[in-house]
Every structure is written in C-alpha cells, then in structure tokens.
C-alpha cells in the first residue's frame, strides 16, 4: 500500500507554480497599482457607459506586470440588449 | 565608476547575508575595491559571516549620526586588502537610520569604492527601504519555495516604486539570485525549477547557487564561501554571478546537473 502510494505520489512543484501564479496575479493587481487600476476602472466605465448600458459586476480590470511591459486587461461583458442599442 | 548594489529578498533566511559576503569577496578578488554594508540594525550578522565580529568598534549608525568618521568605522578584511566591511549597530534602534544620513554615507563611499554592496534586512520596513533606496542595481535573493517567491515579487514592486532611481523615472536594474537550489529535487518535481521562478518573477537571472554543506561550513569558519573553499560548487556559482554583475558574459550552469548514472540511480545529492 505504501509502495503503491509512493509510486502514485504526484510531484508538488507544478502545484506550487500554479498557486503562485494565481496568487501573484491577484496581489499585483492590488498592491502598488491599487489606485491606478481603480481609477482606470472608473474612467473607462464612465466612457463606455455613455454609449452602452453596463452591469457594474460584469466588469473586470486587471494589471499584469512584466519586465519591460505591463498589460492592462479590461474584460467587460456587454448584454445583448445593450449592444443592439449601441448599434 | 562606483556601483551600489542592494542584496534584498523580503523573506528572511534565504541567504542575503551569505550572498552579500560571497559576492563582495568575489568582486574584491578581482582586484576591485569593495565594501559590504550591513543595514540590519539591531540584528547585525554580516560581521559574523565575514569573521570580523571582534573587530567592530564603530558602526553605520555612528557614522550616520556623525559620532565617528567613515574611515574609523570601515574594517579592512584580513584576507583581501580590497575588501571592507561597514557593520550595522547591534545596540541602537533602527530609527536612528535616517534617509539623509544614509545618503551622505553612500555618497562618501562612492568616492573611494568600486562596489558598494548593501545587505538589506528582511521585511519591507524602514531598514529594507533605506538599504534599497540609493541602489543602482538590485540582487533579489530567492529560494525555490512559495513564500520566498511571493515575498520577492513584493520586493520587486518596491524596487520599482520606492527607490531613488524609480522616483527619477529611471529603470532599476534587477537580478534574480536563486539560492539553495537542488537540481535533483527540481528534476523529481518536488522543487520549483529555475524556469518556473524566472517565469513568475520575470527578472533576469544572475546565478543559481546550489544547496550545499559548504555554505554552513564557511559561515562556521567566519569566511565568505568564495574565500573559504574556492573550488566548491557554491563558490564557483557565486564567482560566476559576480562576473555577471561586473558585466561579463558567463554561460549559466545549473550546478550539479551533470550527475553520473549511479548518482541518479541512488538519488544522491550532487553538491
């Protein structure tokens, strides 16, 4: 039984890597950039809301920090009725 | 021109002091005038690792407060005449370390040294931010382990925000020094690999220091590992890292990776 479980033991490093990636994506969005991301979120929403109706909860703004470039990801779900109105 | 390096990590116990001593000695061995500065006020240890604990008379706080001249506080290494130590205070409070005072000391050191290596205390408080404040280059010491990687990420954020360079809109040069690395465990999937850590932290790699008994042996003797046994694996790795710091192109090797079949079979540790 113990031999069996030893052979079946999954390596732990991929788990560490995955947990870190999820955690740090979250922490980077909060720490250091908290004001900037919050501000951008408000202003981007204000611009879009002028043209389409939005659900505030269906908006996701995140910042990914890289060595040379950082990417700002804005994920906004636009309901069908709103897009019809916009068109 | 003088270069100020901060050795930092966020997390404690990952090898900042060991790395400061080893890199400092390796740079001094190249004939370049080097000073290692202990910023860990109240918990100084660089003096002990360098084997100079009984020679401390004045310290960084004395110089910052004007109670001693810089030349009185600097301790010349007994093995290398190009290597100096500026110890931290063991008794004073770290609040005695002022931004202006530190700047004055660093500026004075810049005049007479090629390399100024600042050993940061753990954490993200005053001592750590002052140690990194005037740096040109940061060496981020990280163990292949989740909490160390997370804290390094936090420190990288601070290096990009709270340093003089960052405030002047310049880019702070940051390098990753991966310490206590065990290639065999990484290969088995039980330790983060070099590439995993590099991908997560996305800063260039300065060196990989293998987990090794030689590091403890050197600190027992009060000698930087690069001086204690010049041919051991961590000494070679630190010396290569120092050459990269100095701008040389040195191929990156993962220490102990070329293991024989028998070693692999019995899972013996390389270093």
């Amino acid at each position: 039984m113990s031999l069996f479980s030893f052979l079946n033991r999954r390596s732990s490093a991929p788990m560490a890597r995955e947990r870190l990636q999820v955690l740090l994506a979250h922490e980077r969005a909060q720490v250091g950039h908290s004001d900037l991301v919050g501000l951008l979120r408000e202003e981007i929403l204000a611009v879009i809301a002028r043209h389409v109706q939005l659900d505030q909860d269906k908006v996701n703004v995140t910042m990914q920090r890289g060595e040379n470039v950082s990417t700002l990801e804005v994920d906004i779900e636009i309901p069908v009725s709103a897009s019809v109105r916009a068109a | 021109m003088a270069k100020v390096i901060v050795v930092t990590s966020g997390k404690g116990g990952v090898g900042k002091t060991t790395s400061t001593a080893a890199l400092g000695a390796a740079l001094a061995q190249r004939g370049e005038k080097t000073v290692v500065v202990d910023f860990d006020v109240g918990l100084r240890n660089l003096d002990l690792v360098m084997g100079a604990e009984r020679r401390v008379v004045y310290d960084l706080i004395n110089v910052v407060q004007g109670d001693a001249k810089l030349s009185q506080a600097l301790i010349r290494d007994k093995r290398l005449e190009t290597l100096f130590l500026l110890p931290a205070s063991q008794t004073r409070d770290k609040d005695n370390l002022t931004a202006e005072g530190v700047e004055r000391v660093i500026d004075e050191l810049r005049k007479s040294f090629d390399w100024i290596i600042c050993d940061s205390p753990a954490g993200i408080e005053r001592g750590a931010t002052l140690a990194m404040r005037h740096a040109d280059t940061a060496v981020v010491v990280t163990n292949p382990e989740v909490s160390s990687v997370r804290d390094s990420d936090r420190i990288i954020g601070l290096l990009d925000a709270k340093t003089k360079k960052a405030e002047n809109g310049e880019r702070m040069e940051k390098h990753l020094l991966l310490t206590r690395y065990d290639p065999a465990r990484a290969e088995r999937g039980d330790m983060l690999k070099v590439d995993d850590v590099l991908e997560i932290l996305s800063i260039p790699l300065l060196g990989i220091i293998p987990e090794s008994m030689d590091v403890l042996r050197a600190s027992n003797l009060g000698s930087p590992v690069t001086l204690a046994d010049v041919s051991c694996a961590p000494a070679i790795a630190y010396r290569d890292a120092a050459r990269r710091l100095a701008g040389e192109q040195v191929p990156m090797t993962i220490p102990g990776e070329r293991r024989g079949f028998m070693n692999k079979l019995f899972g013996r540790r390389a270093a």
Side-chain angles (χ1 to χ4, degrees):
Chain A
M1 182 62 192
S2 64
L3 180 68
F4 184 71
S5 65
F6 173 74
L7 289 172
N8 257 346
R9 199 175 65 132
R10 282 183 57 215
S11 59
S12 57
M15 188 75 163
R17 186 190 138 104
E18 199 183 307
R19 288 174 60 218
L20 273 170
Q21 277 169 335
V22 172
L23 174 73
L24 293 181
H26 183 72
E27 285 188 344
R28 283 169 189 166
Q30 282 193 329
V31 180
H33 297 295
S34 57
D35 298 348
L36 179 63
V37 172
L39 190 72
L40 287 172
R41 186 192 148 98
E42 290 303 309
E43 295 194 6
I44 290 167
L45 279 188
V47 170
I48 296 171
R50 265 188 250 152
H51 304 283
V52 273
Q53 217 168 16
L54 291 173
D55 184 347
Q56 294 276 340
D57 297 333
K58 303 271 172 68
V59 178
N60 198 10
V61 181
T62 54
M63 183 84 98
Q64 295 273 0
R65 199 187 66 217
E67 192 198 337
N68 294 314
V69 282
S70 297
T71 52
L72 178 72
E73 196 177 290
V74 185
D75 183 7
I76 304 172
E77 201 173 294
I78 299 175
V80 180
S81 56
S83 53
V84 167
R85 201 187 74 178
Chain B
M1 210 183 81
K3 202 154 192 192
V4 181
I5 312 266
V6 60
V7 178
T8 185
S9 70
K11 190 177 181 300
V14 297
K16 282 183 296 298
T17 302
T18 301
S19 299
T20 302
L23 289 174
L27 288 166
Q29 273 178 318
R30 296 163 52 92
E32 289 155 37
K33 212 173 158 196
T34 305
V35 60
V36 287
V37 186
D38 194 347
F39 272 83
D40 205 345
V41 175
L43 287 171
R44 76 167 176 224
N45 276 319
L46 189 55
D47 55 334
L48 202 51
V49 172
M50 298 281 294
E53 69 277 11
R54 295 173 66 177
R55 301 171 62 206
V56 177
V57 182
Y58 295 109
D59 55 55
L60 177 62
I61 300 270
N62 293 139
V63 181
V64 163
Q65 297 194 322
D67 298 333
K69 280 188 280 185
L70 185 58
S71 55
Q72 292 176 296
L74 286 171
I75 302 168
R76 188 195 284 264
D77 190 85
K78 289 209 161 151
R79 297 148 294 208
L80 280 175
E81 62 170 19
T82 46
L83 181 60
F84 290 78
L85 163 71
L86 181 54
S89 172
Q90 184 71 332
T91 48
R92 308 284 198 91
D93 194 85
K94 63 181 183 303
D95 293 336
N96 290 312
L97 220 50
T98 61
E100 305 75 41
V102 169
E103 182 165 19
R104 217 175 48 241
V105 173
I106 297 282
D107 284 344
E108 206 177 330
L109 288 171
R110 273 184 196 270
K111 288 178 198 154
S112 46
F113 286 94
D114 298 311
W115 297 96
I116 298 143
I117 308 191
C118 305
D119 183 19
S120 170
I124 52 172
E125 304 301 321
R126 188 184 179 81
T129 49
L130 278 177
M132 67 170 70
R133 181 145 185 86
H134 303 282
D136 301 309
T137 300
V139 172
V140 180
V141 182
T142 307
N143 290 167
E145 178 268 325
V146 285
S147 49
S148 175
V149 174
R150 179 200 213 173
D151 292 358
S152 291
D153 190 76
R154 186 78 198 278
I155 280 290
I156 291 168
L158 288 180
L159 287 165
D160 287 332
K162 296 235 169 135
T163 52
K164 205 112 195 184
K165 274 217 152 181
E167 285 171 10
N168 291 340
E170 292 171 61
R171 198 167 154 275
M172 164 70 87
E173 213 182 292
K174 300 174 292 285
H175 299 279
L176 177 73
L177 187 64
L178 195 61
T179 54
R180 307 199 70 164
Y181 190 69
D182 187 332
R185 288 172 73 187
E187 204 44 58
R188 281 202 304 270
D190 284 332
M191 181 181 269
L192 286 167
K193 288 188 177 179
V194 178
D195 288 341
D196 293 334
V197 182
L198 281 177
E199 193 193 325
I200 292 168
L201 295 179
S202 62
I203 57 172
L205 184 62
L206 182 69
I208 307 158
I209 313 300
E211 167 83 66
S212 164
M213 310 249 286
D214 297 305
V215 173
L216 180 60
R217 193 176 301 134
S219 85
N220 286 343
L221 299 172
S223 169
V225 68
T226 37
L227 294 183
D229 177 1
V230 291
S231 60
C232 69
I236 294 167
Y238 273 120
R239 213 158 41 236
D240 283 353
R243 288 172 63 195
R244 291 184 197 107
L245 261 186
E248 282 183 45
Q249 295 288 329
V250 184
M252 188 69 66
T253 51
I254 299 181
E257 190 118 276
R258 287 181 300 268
R259 289 175 310 135
F261 171 73
M262 290 304 274
N263 274 357
K264 214 172 243 175
L265 193 65
F266 295 109
R268 266 177 51 193
R269 284 247 305 281

